[in-house]
Amino acid sequence: MSVIKIRGGRHLDGTVDVHGSKNAVLPILAASFINGGISIIHNCPDITDVRTSIAILEHLGCEVTFKDNTVTVNSHNVTGTSIPDELMREMRSSVIFAGALVSKMGRAELSYPGGCKLGHRPIDLHLNTFRKLGIIINEEHGRIQCDATQVTPARIFLDFPSVGATENIILAAIGGEGVTTIINAAKEPEIVDLQNFLNSMGACVRGGGTDVVEITGGRPLGDCEYTVIPDRISASTYMAAVVAAGGTGEIRNVVPNHVSAFIAVMRECGASVSVRDRTIRITSSGKIRPVKLINTMPYPGFPTDAQSLVMSIMSVARGTGIIKENIFQGRYAHANELARMGADISIADKIAVVRGVRRLSGCDVYAADLRSGAALAVAALAAEGETTVHNVHYIDRGYECFDRALASLGADIERIDDIE
Ligand code: UD1
Protein backbone atom coordinates (compact mmCIF):
# COMPACT_ATOMS: atom_id res chain seq x y z
CA MET A 1 0.00 0.00 0.00
CA SER A 2 1.21 3.49 -0.82
CA VAL A 3 0.08 6.93 0.28
CA ILE A 4 0.82 10.45 -0.88
CA LYS A 5 1.25 13.15 1.74
CA ILE A 6 0.71 16.72 0.65
CA ARG A 7 1.29 19.82 2.74
CA GLY A 8 -0.97 22.40 1.14
CA GLY A 9 -1.70 26.08 1.38
CA ARG A 10 1.34 27.32 -0.51
CA HIS A 11 1.61 28.68 -4.02
CA LEU A 12 3.20 26.58 -6.74
CA ASP A 13 5.96 27.69 -9.04
CA GLY A 14 7.46 25.20 -11.43
CA THR A 15 7.47 23.24 -14.63
CA VAL A 16 6.17 19.82 -15.58
CA ASP A 17 6.43 17.62 -18.67
CA VAL A 18 3.27 15.77 -19.60
CA HIS A 19 3.64 12.06 -20.32
CA GLY A 20 2.03 10.12 -23.14
CA SER A 21 -1.70 9.61 -23.20
CA LYS A 22 -3.09 6.67 -21.25
CA ASN A 23 -6.30 6.54 -23.25
CA ALA A 24 -4.41 6.68 -26.54
CA VAL A 25 -1.69 4.16 -25.73
CA LEU A 26 -4.04 1.43 -24.48
CA PRO A 27 -5.94 0.89 -27.77
CA ILE A 28 -2.67 1.38 -29.66
CA LEU A 29 -1.08 -1.46 -27.68
CA ALA A 30 -4.12 -3.64 -28.45
CA ALA A 31 -3.76 -2.69 -32.14
CA SER A 32 -0.11 -3.74 -32.15
CA PHE A 33 -1.39 -7.33 -31.92
CA ILE A 34 -2.78 -7.11 -35.45
CA ASN A 35 0.15 -6.39 -37.74
CA GLY A 36 2.04 -9.66 -37.36
CA GLY A 37 5.25 -7.65 -37.25
CA ILE A 38 7.14 -5.22 -35.07
CA SER A 39 5.53 -2.11 -33.60
CA ILE A 40 7.82 0.42 -31.94
CA ILE A 41 5.70 2.75 -29.84
CA HIS A 42 7.30 5.82 -28.27
CA ASN A 43 6.03 8.11 -25.49
CA CYS A 44 4.31 5.28 -23.60
CA PRO A 45 3.68 6.30 -20.00
CA ASP A 46 4.95 3.90 -17.32
CA ILE A 47 1.60 3.35 -15.63
CA THR A 48 -0.06 0.19 -14.40
CA ASP A 49 -2.61 0.10 -17.22
CA VAL A 50 0.25 -0.04 -19.75
CA ARG A 51 1.85 -2.85 -17.73
CA THR A 52 -1.49 -4.71 -17.80
CA SER A 53 -1.77 -4.28 -21.58
CA ILE A 54 1.75 -5.66 -21.94
CA ALA A 55 0.80 -8.65 -19.76
CA ILE A 56 -2.20 -9.30 -22.05
CA LEU A 57 -0.04 -9.03 -25.19
CA GLU A 58 2.49 -11.45 -23.71
CA HIS A 59 -0.28 -13.82 -22.70
CA LEU A 60 -1.46 -13.80 -26.32
CA GLY A 61 2.01 -14.72 -27.59
CA CYS A 62 3.63 -11.37 -28.36
CA GLU A 63 7.21 -10.59 -27.42
CA VAL A 64 7.28 -7.23 -25.68
CA THR A 65 9.96 -4.95 -24.27
CA PHE A 66 9.36 -1.69 -22.38
CA LYS A 67 12.32 0.64 -21.92
CA ASP A 68 12.62 4.42 -21.58
CA ASN A 69 8.95 4.94 -22.44
CA THR A 70 9.22 2.92 -25.64
CA VAL A 71 7.27 -0.30 -26.00
CA THR A 72 8.32 -2.71 -28.75
CA VAL A 73 5.80 -5.39 -29.63
CA ASN A 74 6.61 -8.33 -31.89
CA SER A 75 3.32 -9.97 -32.89
CA HIS A 76 4.86 -12.34 -35.43
CA ASN A 77 4.04 -15.58 -33.66
CA VAL A 78 0.77 -14.84 -31.91
CA THR A 79 -1.33 -17.84 -31.00
CA GLY A 80 -3.65 -16.79 -28.17
CA THR A 81 -7.32 -15.92 -28.56
CA SER A 82 -8.39 -15.86 -24.93
CA ILE A 83 -7.76 -13.34 -22.14
CA PRO A 84 -7.96 -14.66 -18.58
CA ASP A 85 -10.49 -13.18 -16.18
CA GLU A 86 -7.84 -11.77 -13.81
CA LEU A 87 -6.32 -9.65 -16.61
CA MET A 88 -9.76 -8.59 -17.88
CA ARG A 89 -10.66 -7.33 -14.41
CA GLU A 90 -7.56 -5.14 -14.17
CA MET A 91 -8.87 -2.42 -16.49
CA ARG A 92 -11.78 -1.38 -18.71
CA SER A 93 -9.54 -1.10 -21.77
CA SER A 94 -8.94 -4.84 -21.84
CA VAL A 95 -12.22 -5.02 -23.81
CA ILE A 96 -10.50 -3.32 -26.77
CA PHE A 97 -8.47 -6.50 -27.27
CA ALA A 98 -11.70 -8.14 -28.49
CA GLY A 99 -11.62 -6.12 -31.73
CA ALA A 100 -7.92 -6.82 -32.25
CA LEU A 101 -8.32 -10.55 -31.59
CA VAL A 102 -11.30 -10.98 -33.90
CA SER A 103 -9.54 -8.98 -36.59
CA LYS A 104 -6.38 -11.08 -36.49
CA MET A 105 -7.50 -14.49 -35.24
CA GLY A 106 -11.20 -14.61 -36.13
CA ARG A 107 -12.03 -15.30 -32.51
CA ALA A 108 -11.84 -13.75 -29.05
CA GLU A 109 -12.70 -15.10 -25.64
CA LEU A 110 -12.84 -12.72 -22.72
CA SER A 111 -14.91 -11.73 -19.70
CA TYR A 112 -16.53 -8.46 -18.67
CA PRO A 113 -13.82 -5.84 -18.15
CA GLY A 114 -13.01 -4.20 -14.81
CA GLY A 115 -11.63 -0.69 -14.41
CA CYS A 116 -12.65 2.36 -12.45
CA LYS A 117 -16.03 2.08 -10.79
CA LEU A 118 -17.90 4.97 -12.38
CA GLY A 119 -21.38 3.47 -12.05
CA HIS A 120 -22.79 0.93 -14.47
CA ARG A 121 -20.40 0.51 -17.43
CA PRO A 122 -22.02 -1.88 -19.90
CA ILE A 123 -20.39 -3.11 -23.12
CA ASP A 124 -23.66 -3.57 -25.01
CA LEU A 125 -22.63 -1.07 -27.72
CA HIS A 126 -19.45 -3.06 -28.33
CA LEU A 127 -21.26 -6.39 -28.58
CA ASN A 128 -24.24 -5.13 -30.61
CA THR A 129 -22.02 -3.48 -33.18
CA PHE A 130 -19.84 -6.60 -33.36
CA ARG A 131 -22.96 -8.53 -34.34
CA LYS A 132 -23.48 -6.08 -37.19
CA LEU A 133 -20.00 -6.99 -38.41
CA GLY A 134 -21.06 -10.63 -38.64
CA ILE A 135 -19.36 -11.59 -35.38
CA ILE A 136 -21.24 -14.28 -33.47
CA ILE A 137 -21.36 -13.61 -29.74
CA ASN A 138 -21.96 -16.28 -27.12
CA GLU A 139 -22.08 -15.50 -23.43
CA GLU A 140 -21.76 -18.36 -20.95
CA HIS A 141 -20.43 -18.80 -17.41
CA GLY A 142 -19.22 -15.19 -17.29
CA ARG A 143 -17.20 -15.55 -20.48
CA ILE A 144 -17.92 -13.85 -23.79
CA GLN A 145 -16.96 -15.63 -26.99
CA CYS A 146 -16.74 -13.71 -30.26
CA ASP A 147 -16.37 -15.73 -33.46
CA ALA A 148 -16.07 -14.60 -37.05
CA THR A 149 -14.73 -16.72 -39.86
CA GLN A 150 -14.75 -13.42 -41.74
CA VAL A 151 -15.58 -9.96 -40.38
CA THR A 152 -18.30 -8.54 -42.67
CA PRO A 153 -17.98 -4.82 -43.42
CA ALA A 154 -21.06 -2.83 -42.42
CA ARG A 155 -22.53 0.62 -41.97
CA ILE A 156 -22.82 1.09 -38.23
CA PHE A 157 -24.77 3.80 -36.43
CA LEU A 158 -23.65 4.23 -32.82
CA ASP A 159 -26.51 5.23 -30.47
CA PHE A 160 -23.92 7.09 -28.38
CA PRO A 161 -20.43 8.15 -29.48
CA SER A 162 -18.72 5.65 -27.17
CA VAL A 163 -14.94 5.95 -27.24
CA GLY A 164 -14.30 2.28 -26.51
CA ALA A 165 -16.94 1.00 -28.93
CA THR A 166 -15.57 3.22 -31.72
CA GLU A 167 -12.08 1.83 -31.11
CA ASN A 168 -13.30 -1.75 -30.97
CA ILE A 169 -15.22 -1.42 -34.24
CA ILE A 170 -12.21 0.15 -35.98
CA LEU A 171 -9.96 -2.71 -34.84
CA ALA A 172 -12.44 -5.44 -35.77
CA ALA A 173 -13.17 -3.85 -39.18
CA ILE A 174 -9.47 -3.86 -40.13
CA GLY A 175 -9.83 -7.65 -40.49
CA GLY A 176 -12.79 -7.60 -42.92
CA GLU A 177 -12.35 -7.15 -46.69
CA GLY A 178 -14.17 -3.94 -47.68
CA VAL A 179 -15.40 -0.69 -46.19
CA THR A 180 -16.98 -0.30 -42.75
CA THR A 181 -18.47 3.07 -41.86
CA ILE A 182 -19.14 4.25 -38.30
CA ILE A 183 -21.72 7.01 -38.01
CA ASN A 184 -21.86 9.02 -34.77
CA ALA A 185 -18.35 7.85 -33.93
CA ALA A 186 -16.51 9.26 -30.92
CA LYS A 187 -14.34 12.26 -31.90
CA GLU A 188 -11.79 12.13 -29.09
CA PRO A 189 -8.12 12.81 -30.00
CA GLU A 190 -7.37 9.24 -28.90
CA ILE A 191 -9.45 7.97 -31.85
CA VAL A 192 -7.33 10.04 -34.21
CA ASP A 193 -4.19 8.65 -32.59
CA LEU A 194 -5.43 5.07 -33.06
CA GLN A 195 -6.24 5.86 -36.69
CA ASN A 196 -2.77 7.32 -37.29
CA PHE A 197 -1.08 4.35 -35.62
CA LEU A 198 -3.07 1.85 -37.69
CA ASN A 199 -2.34 3.76 -40.89
CA SER A 200 1.37 3.73 -40.00
CA MET A 201 1.21 -0.10 -40.17
CA GLY A 202 -0.52 0.01 -43.56
CA ALA A 203 -4.22 0.11 -42.63
CA CYS A 204 -6.66 2.53 -44.20
CA VAL A 205 -8.74 4.41 -41.61
CA ARG A 206 -10.17 7.83 -42.43
CA GLY A 207 -12.36 10.40 -40.71
CA GLY A 208 -10.97 10.01 -37.16
CA GLY A 209 -11.85 13.14 -35.19
CA THR A 210 -15.13 13.56 -37.09
CA ASP A 211 -18.36 11.73 -36.44
CA VAL A 212 -18.00 9.50 -39.52
CA VAL A 213 -15.08 7.07 -39.57
CA GLU A 214 -14.39 4.84 -42.56
CA ILE A 215 -12.26 1.72 -42.34
CA THR A 216 -11.14 -0.16 -45.45
CA GLY A 217 -10.26 -3.59 -44.15
CA GLY A 218 -8.15 -6.39 -45.54
CA ARG A 219 -5.05 -4.32 -46.37
CA PRO A 220 -1.58 -5.84 -45.88
CA LEU A 221 -0.07 -4.72 -42.57
CA GLY A 222 3.55 -4.53 -41.48
CA ASP A 223 6.13 -3.07 -39.12
CA CYS A 224 5.60 0.46 -37.81
CA GLU A 225 7.06 3.12 -35.55
CA TYR A 226 4.83 5.64 -33.81
CA THR A 227 4.79 8.30 -31.07
CA VAL A 228 1.74 8.54 -28.80
CA ILE A 229 0.09 11.94 -28.19
CA PRO A 230 0.48 13.69 -24.82
CA ASP A 231 -2.08 12.99 -22.09
CA ARG A 232 -4.68 15.75 -22.09
CA ILE A 233 -6.13 14.77 -18.72
CA SER A 234 -2.71 14.79 -17.05
CA ALA A 235 -2.11 18.22 -18.58
CA SER A 236 -5.48 19.34 -17.17
CA THR A 237 -4.59 17.90 -13.77
CA TYR A 238 -1.41 19.97 -13.58
CA MET A 239 -3.32 23.11 -14.65
CA ALA A 240 -5.90 22.38 -11.95
CA ALA A 241 -3.12 21.98 -9.37
CA VAL A 242 -1.80 25.48 -10.13
CA VAL A 243 -5.27 27.05 -10.10
CA ALA A 244 -6.25 25.39 -6.81
CA ALA A 245 -3.02 26.25 -5.01
CA GLY A 246 -2.35 29.57 -6.75
CA GLY A 247 0.98 30.41 -8.36
CA THR A 248 2.47 29.80 -11.78
CA GLY A 249 3.10 26.64 -13.72
CA GLU A 250 4.63 25.83 -17.06
CA ILE A 251 3.14 22.69 -18.53
CA ARG A 252 5.18 21.30 -21.39
CA ASN A 253 4.43 18.74 -24.07
CA VAL A 254 0.73 19.48 -24.47
CA VAL A 255 -1.41 19.66 -27.61
CA PRO A 256 -3.25 22.87 -26.66
CA ASN A 257 -6.28 22.10 -28.88
CA HIS A 258 -6.87 18.92 -26.91
CA VAL A 259 -7.39 20.90 -23.70
CA SER A 260 -9.36 23.87 -25.08
CA ALA A 261 -12.50 23.14 -23.05
CA PHE A 262 -10.47 22.82 -19.86
CA ILE A 263 -8.49 26.01 -20.53
CA ALA A 264 -11.77 27.90 -21.07
CA VAL A 265 -13.00 26.81 -17.64
CA MET A 266 -9.69 27.69 -15.97
CA ARG A 267 -9.97 31.17 -17.46
CA GLU A 268 -13.53 31.48 -16.14
CA CYS A 269 -12.10 30.59 -12.73
CA GLY A 270 -9.87 33.66 -13.05
CA ALA A 271 -6.63 32.01 -14.13
CA SER A 272 -4.53 33.57 -16.83
CA VAL A 273 -3.48 31.05 -19.46
CA SER A 274 -1.07 31.59 -22.33
CA VAL A 275 -0.23 29.05 -24.98
CA ARG A 276 2.95 28.83 -27.03
CA ASP A 277 3.56 25.86 -29.30
CA ARG A 278 3.28 22.85 -27.01
CA THR A 279 3.66 24.74 -23.73
CA ILE A 280 0.94 26.17 -21.51
CA ARG A 281 1.73 28.79 -18.91
CA ILE A 282 -0.92 29.20 -16.25
CA THR A 283 -1.04 31.72 -13.42
CA SER A 284 -3.59 31.98 -10.65
CA SER A 285 -3.89 34.21 -7.60
CA GLY A 286 -5.61 31.35 -5.80
CA LYS A 287 -8.74 33.53 -5.58
CA ILE A 288 -11.09 31.42 -7.63
CA ARG A 289 -14.24 32.64 -9.34
CA PRO A 290 -17.05 30.06 -9.40
CA VAL A 291 -18.10 28.67 -12.76
CA LYS A 292 -21.88 28.80 -13.11
CA LEU A 293 -22.37 25.51 -14.94
CA ILE A 294 -20.01 22.83 -16.19
CA ASN A 295 -21.57 20.13 -18.34
CA THR A 296 -19.49 17.06 -19.11
CA MET A 297 -19.80 16.08 -22.78
CA PRO A 298 -18.14 13.94 -25.42
CA TYR A 299 -15.12 15.64 -27.04
CA PRO A 300 -14.76 18.52 -27.84
CA GLY A 301 -16.99 19.24 -24.83
CA PHE A 302 -15.76 19.36 -21.27
CA PRO A 303 -14.30 15.90 -20.45
CA THR A 304 -15.84 13.74 -17.75
CA ASP A 305 -12.31 12.72 -16.77
CA ALA A 306 -11.65 16.31 -15.67
CA GLN A 307 -14.91 16.73 -13.76
CA SER A 308 -13.43 15.73 -10.40
CA LEU A 309 -10.63 18.26 -10.90
CA VAL A 310 -13.03 21.18 -11.31
CA MET A 311 -15.02 20.00 -8.32
CA SER A 312 -11.87 20.34 -6.20
CA ILE A 313 -11.28 23.83 -7.58
CA MET A 314 -14.92 24.87 -7.11
CA SER A 315 -14.72 23.70 -3.49
CA VAL A 316 -12.57 26.72 -2.68
CA ALA A 317 -14.18 29.21 -5.11
CA ARG A 318 -15.73 32.49 -3.95
CA GLY A 319 -19.32 31.48 -4.64
CA THR A 320 -21.39 28.59 -5.90
CA GLY A 321 -20.80 26.48 -9.01
CA ILE A 322 -22.84 23.72 -10.57
CA ILE A 323 -21.51 20.61 -12.27
CA LYS A 324 -23.61 18.28 -14.40
CA GLU A 325 -22.07 14.87 -15.07
CA ASN A 326 -23.69 13.58 -18.25
CA ILE A 327 -21.39 10.72 -19.24
CA PHE A 328 -21.10 8.39 -16.23
CA GLN A 329 -23.66 7.92 -13.52
CA GLY A 330 -22.11 7.70 -10.08
CA ARG A 331 -18.95 9.56 -10.92
CA TYR A 332 -19.00 11.66 -7.76
CA ALA A 333 -17.06 9.41 -5.38
CA HIS A 334 -14.63 12.24 -4.68
CA ALA A 335 -17.39 14.50 -3.27
CA ASN A 336 -17.62 12.61 0.04
CA GLU A 337 -13.88 12.75 0.54
CA LEU A 338 -13.80 16.46 -0.34
CA ALA A 339 -16.53 16.94 2.28
CA ARG A 340 -14.16 15.41 4.88
CA MET A 341 -11.77 18.21 3.98
CA GLY A 342 -14.53 20.76 4.61
CA ALA A 343 -16.07 21.13 1.14
CA ASP A 344 -19.77 21.98 0.88
CA ILE A 345 -21.22 19.85 -1.93
CA SER A 346 -24.77 18.62 -2.51
CA ILE A 347 -25.50 15.98 -5.10
CA ALA A 348 -28.79 15.00 -6.69
CA ASP A 349 -28.59 12.54 -9.57
CA LYS A 350 -26.35 14.10 -12.25
CA ILE A 351 -26.08 17.50 -10.59
CA ALA A 352 -23.53 18.63 -8.02
CA VAL A 353 -23.89 22.01 -6.36
CA VAL A 354 -20.54 23.15 -4.99
CA ARG A 355 -20.62 26.06 -2.55
CA GLY A 356 -17.10 27.38 -2.21
CA VAL A 357 -15.69 27.50 1.31
CA ARG A 358 -12.97 29.84 2.64
CA ARG A 359 -10.57 26.99 3.21
CA LEU A 360 -10.25 23.22 3.12
CA SER A 361 -8.35 21.47 5.86
CA GLY A 362 -6.02 18.54 5.35
CA CYS A 363 -6.99 15.07 6.58
CA ASP A 364 -6.90 11.41 5.50
CA VAL A 365 -8.79 10.83 2.25
CA TYR A 366 -9.28 7.77 0.04
CA ALA A 367 -9.21 7.71 -3.75
CA ALA A 368 -12.11 5.67 -5.14
CA ASP A 369 -10.88 5.71 -8.73
CA LEU A 370 -8.11 7.20 -10.86
CA ARG A 371 -9.45 10.70 -11.42
CA SER A 372 -10.96 11.04 -7.94
CA GLY A 373 -7.47 10.34 -6.59
CA ALA A 374 -5.96 13.08 -8.73
CA ALA A 375 -8.72 15.49 -7.66
CA LEU A 376 -8.07 14.81 -3.97
CA ALA A 377 -4.41 15.65 -4.50
CA VAL A 378 -5.44 18.89 -6.22
CA ALA A 379 -7.73 19.76 -3.29
CA ALA A 380 -4.91 18.93 -0.87
CA LEU A 381 -2.70 21.54 -2.53
CA ALA A 382 -5.31 24.17 -1.68
CA ALA A 383 -5.95 22.88 1.83
CA GLU A 384 -4.39 24.01 5.07
CA GLY A 385 -2.15 21.45 6.73
CA GLU A 386 -1.33 17.93 5.69
CA THR A 387 -3.52 15.63 3.61
CA THR A 388 -2.80 11.93 3.21
CA VAL A 389 -4.23 10.46 0.01
CA HIS A 390 -4.75 6.70 0.29
CA ASN A 391 -5.37 4.14 -2.47
CA VAL A 392 -2.56 5.55 -4.59
CA HIS A 393 -2.69 2.43 -6.78
CA TYR A 394 -5.63 4.08 -8.55
CA ILE A 395 -3.52 7.13 -9.37
CA ASP A 396 -0.72 4.84 -10.59
CA ARG A 397 -3.10 3.46 -13.22
CA GLY A 398 -2.98 6.71 -15.16
CA TYR A 399 -0.21 9.04 -13.97
CA GLU A 400 3.50 8.32 -14.32
CA CYS A 401 5.38 9.47 -11.20
CA PHE A 402 2.48 11.65 -10.05
CA ASP A 403 4.26 12.81 -6.90
CA ARG A 404 7.38 13.83 -8.82
CA ALA A 405 5.32 15.71 -11.40
CA LEU A 406 3.57 17.74 -8.71
CA ALA A 407 6.88 18.26 -6.87
CA SER A 408 8.39 19.69 -10.06
CA LEU A 409 5.51 22.18 -10.08
CA GLY A 410 6.58 23.21 -6.58
CA ALA A 411 4.26 21.10 -4.41
CA ASP A 412 5.33 19.93 -0.97
CA ILE A 413 4.57 16.26 -1.56
CA GLU A 414 5.94 12.93 -0.45
CA ARG A 415 5.06 9.40 -1.51
CA ILE A 416 5.41 6.63 1.04
CA ASP A 417 5.37 3.07 -0.27
CA ASP A 418 4.86 -0.21 1.54
CA ILE A 419 2.94 1.14 4.49
CA GLU A 420 0.74 -1.38 6.37
C1 UD1 B 1 -13.22 6.18 -22.32
C2 UD1 B 1 -12.03 6.59 -21.49
C3 UD1 B 1 -12.48 7.20 -20.17
C4 UD1 B 1 -13.45 8.34 -20.44
C5 UD1 B 1 -14.58 7.91 -21.36
C6 UD1 B 1 -15.48 9.05 -21.79
C7 UD1 B 1 -10.34 5.01 -22.12
C8 UD1 B 1 -9.46 3.89 -21.71
N1 UD1 B 1 -11.22 5.44 -21.22
O1 UD1 B 1 -13.91 5.19 -21.58
O2 UD1 B 1 -11.33 7.69 -19.50
O3 UD1 B 1 -13.99 8.76 -19.22
O4 UD1 B 1 -14.05 7.32 -22.56
O5 UD1 B 1 -14.76 10.04 -22.38
O6 UD1 B 1 -10.23 5.54 -23.21
N2 UD1 B 1 -21.67 2.94 -22.73
C9 UD1 B 1 -22.72 2.06 -22.84
N3 UD1 B 1 -22.51 0.89 -23.51
C10 UD1 B 1 -21.32 0.58 -24.05
C11 UD1 B 1 -20.24 1.48 -23.94
C12 UD1 B 1 -20.45 2.67 -23.26
O7 UD1 B 1 -23.81 2.32 -22.34
O8 UD1 B 1 -21.20 -0.50 -24.64
C13 UD1 B 1 -21.87 4.20 -21.97
C14 UD1 B 1 -20.99 4.25 -20.72
O9 UD1 B 1 -21.58 3.55 -19.65
C15 UD1 B 1 -20.90 5.72 -20.48
C16 UD1 B 1 -20.85 6.29 -21.91
O10 UD1 B 1 -21.40 5.28 -22.76
O11 UD1 B 1 -22.04 6.18 -19.84
C17 UD1 B 1 -19.47 6.67 -22.39
O12 UD1 B 1 -18.65 5.54 -22.37
P1 UD1 B 1 -17.43 5.34 -23.38
O13 UD1 B 1 -17.29 6.53 -24.25
O14 UD1 B 1 -17.57 4.01 -24.00
O15 UD1 B 1 -16.21 5.32 -22.36
P2 UD1 B 1 -15.02 4.30 -22.30
O16 UD1 B 1 -14.55 3.96 -23.67
O17 UD1 B 1 -15.33 3.20 -21.35
Side-chain angles (χ1 to χ4, degrees), residues 95-96 98-99 102 123-137 146-148 151-173 180-185 215:
V95 74
I96 308 301
V102 169
I123 55 168
D124 56 323
L125 289 171
H126 300 243
L127 299 182
N128 290 341
T129 51
F130 270 15
R131 288 189 181 98
K132 289 185 182 141
L133 291 169
I135 301 165
I136 297 161
I137 315 272
C146 311
D147 280 289
V151 174
T152 320
R155 200 173 159 80
I156 293 171
F157 180 84
L158 270 177
D159 293 338
F160 180 87
S162 155
V163 175
T166 302
E167 292 163 348
N168 237 339
I169 300 165
I170 293 174
L171 291 177
T180 289
T181 308
I182 312 171
I183 298 148
N184 199 27
I215 307 108

Side-chain angles (χ1 to χ4, degrees), residues 14-21 43 189-190 227-240 242 249-264 266 273-282 299 303 409:
T15 304
V16 66
D17 289 309
V18 176
H19 58 65
S21 163
N43 204 28
E190 294 76 21
T227 300
V228 175
I229 53 168
D231 195 303
R232 61 195 168 100
I233 305 301
S234 296
S236 303
T237 305
Y238 305 137
M239 282 190 257
V242 173
E250 202 170 84
I251 296 148
R252 297 191 299 218
N253 191 29
V254 190
V255 178
N257 278 344
H258 293 173
V259 287
S260 298
F262 195 81
I263 290 177
M266 293 303 97
V273 184
S274 61
V275 176
R276 206 165 140 235
D277 301 327
R278 286 164 78 90
T279 298
I280 289 174
R281 193 176 164 81
I282 184 159
Y299 189 83
L409 272 176

Side-chain angles (χ1 to χ4, degrees), residues 35-324:
N35 62 347
I38 293 179
S39 306
I40 301 172
I41 308 160
H42 303 293
N43 204 28
C44 295
D46 192 353
I47 54 178
T48 30
D49 278 9
V50 164
R51 298 272 172 188
T52 303
S53 296
I54 291 173
I56 293 175
L57 285 167
E58 287 176 335
H59 177 85
L60 295 172
C62 297
E63 285 166 31
V64 189
T65 60
F66 186 12
K67 195 164 177 267
D68 298 333
N69 293 108
T70 294
V71 175
T72 304
V73 182
N74 182 343
S75 59
H76 192 64
N77 293 317
V78 291
T79 47
T81 56
S82 160
I83 304 174
D85 190 48
E86 62 270 22
L87 287 174
M88 286 302 298
R89 284 177 185 272
E90 289 287 315
M91 61 171 187
R92 170 91 179 166
S93 270
S94 52
V95 74
I96 308 301
F97 277 89
L101 277 165
V102 169
S103 196
K104 174 84 180 160
M105 313 296 279
R107 136 176 286 237
E109 195 201 303
L110 56 155
S111 44
Y112 276 84
C116 284
K117 292 169 189 62
L118 312 176
H120 186 44
R121 294 182 83 178
I123 55 168
D124 56 323
L125 289 171
H126 300 243
L127 299 182
N128 290 341
T129 51
F130 270 15
R131 288 189 181 98
K132 289 185 182 141
L133 291 169
I135 301 165
I136 297 161
I137 315 272
N138 278 309
E139 292 186 60
E140 234 175 24
H141 307 297
R143 298 289 283 169
I144 305 165
Q145 206 154 299
C146 311
D147 280 289
T149 14
Q150 182 105 57
V151 174
T152 320
R155 200 173 159 80
I156 293 171
F157 180 84
L158 270 177
D159 293 338
F160 180 87
S162 155
V163 175
T166 302
E167 292 163 348
N168 237 339
I169 300 165
I170 293 174
L171 291 177
I174 296 278
E177 296 273 343
V179 179
T180 289
T181 308
I182 312 171
I183 298 148
N184 199 27
K187 293 186 283 206
E188 271 67 2
E190 294 76 21
I191 304 286
V192 181
D193 218 33
L194 176 63
Q195 165 181 287
N196 292 344
F197 173 70
L198 287 165
N199 290 348
S200 79
M201 61 164 75
C204 178
V205 184
R206 293 206 189 89
T210 75
D211 43 24
V212 179
V213 175
E214 200 178 85
I215 307 108
T216 308
R219 304 259 299 225
L221 306 175
D223 297 350
C224 63
E225 184 161 1
Y226 192 75
T227 300
V228 175
I229 53 168
D231 195 303
R232 61 195 168 100
I233 305 301
S234 296
S236 303
T237 305
Y238 305 137
M239 282 190 257
V242 173
V243 173
T248 296
E250 202 170 84
I251 296 148
R252 297 191 299 218
N253 191 29
V254 190
V255 178
N257 278 344
H258 293 173
V259 287
S260 298
F262 195 81
I263 290 177
V265 168
M266 293 303 97
R267 285 186 172 134
E268 267 194 77
C269 288
S272 116
V273 184
S274 61
V275 176
R276 206 165 140 235
D277 301 327
R278 286 164 78 90
T279 298
I280 289 174
R281 193 176 164 81
I282 184 159
T283 303
S284 162
S285 64
K287 292 174 186 142
I288 295 158
R289 289 201 297 258
V291 179
K292 279 200 190 90
L293 177 64
I294 294 165
N295 256 305
T296 64
M297 310 269 271
Y299 189 83
F302 190 88
T304 172
D305 286 347
Q307 174 261 106
S308 57
L309 302 170
V310 283
M311 184 176 278
S312 292
I313 293 173
M314 288 296 103
S315 295
V316 286
R318 303 186 159 200
T320 298
I322 293 175
I323 298 172
K324 190 168 175 219

